[in-house]
Amino acid sequence: MNTDEMLAVAVGEARIGLSEGGVPVGAALFGPDGELWGSGRNRRVQDGDPSVHGETAAFRAAGRRRSYRGTIMVTTLSPCWYCSGLIRQFGISSVLIGESTTFTGGHDWLADHGVSVTVLDDPQCVRMMSEFIAQHPDLWFEDIGD
């Protein structure tokens, strides 16, 4: 899969989350060969569980693996510190980020610790999150712990 196709998986998850009344952050974890291992979306609101972020949902959907070296985590939004810790803890090699305009999490820290980070500043990701923040500031600030 190319970058656009990988991001499309994460964007699709984010749109599903938005349609469910949740925070529109989607993610997907791809194996070293480009195969989709798992995808997911932020489900904090839907499940009443503050630990279900897009990246954690994608990671869980991928299932248990011996190693995560060579994998790519694709996310519509810069990963928060919680999700950045997951990426580093399990040795995920690369992160492809849809946007960091509306929120900048720990991606610079990840890069400083050897993770390959690419920020796309994708207009559809920026628009989706900007509109959500404007319409649901209470949910957004709860999501980022503010």
Side-chain angles (χ1 to χ4, degrees):
M1 287 188 140
N2 66 36
T3 300
D4 291 338
E5 292 168 327
M6 286 191 239
L7 182 61
V9 174
V11 168
E13 287 285 350
R15 287 189 174 140
I16 293 169
L18 183 61
S19 75
E20 295 170 338
V23 179
V25 178
L29 183 62
F30 292 88
D33 61 355
E35 176 188 3
L36 176 62
W37 281 5
S39 64
R41 59 194 168 277
N42 184 307
R43 294 190 51 84
R44 297 178 75 255
V45 173
Q46 299 93 310
D47 294 353
D49 181 346
S51 70
V52 187
H53 290 206
E55 298 88 343
T56 60
F59 182 75
R60 289 173 181 163
R64 183 177 171 200
R65 305 287 175 149
R66 172 114 172 83
S67 173
Y68 296 89
R69 285 189 195 98
T71 60
I72 302 170
M73 177 67 78
V74 181
T75 179
T76 57
L77 184 65
S78 177
C80 70
W81 287 106
Y82 169 57
C83 295
S84 294
L86 177 142
I87 291 163
R88 180 126 191 269
Q89 172 72 30
F90 290 96
I92 294 170
S93 300
S94 300
V95 181
L96 181 65
I97 299 167
E99 67 104 348
S100 70
T101 302
T102 60
F103 175 78
T104 300
H107 70 259
D108 287 336
W109 175 78
L110 287 170
D112 289 345
H113 288 87
V115 177
S116 172
V117 174
T118 303
V119 180
L120 299 173
D121 287 325
D122 180 80
Q124 69 180 328
C125 291
V126 174
R127 185 173 45 257
M128 182 169 37
M129 189 52 73
S130 295
E131 290 173 0
F132 176 80
I133 293 168
Q135 294 170 4
H136 305 283
D138 54 333
L139 286 179
W140 170 244
F141 290 116
E142 175 189 329
D143 192 65
I144 61 170
D146 226 356

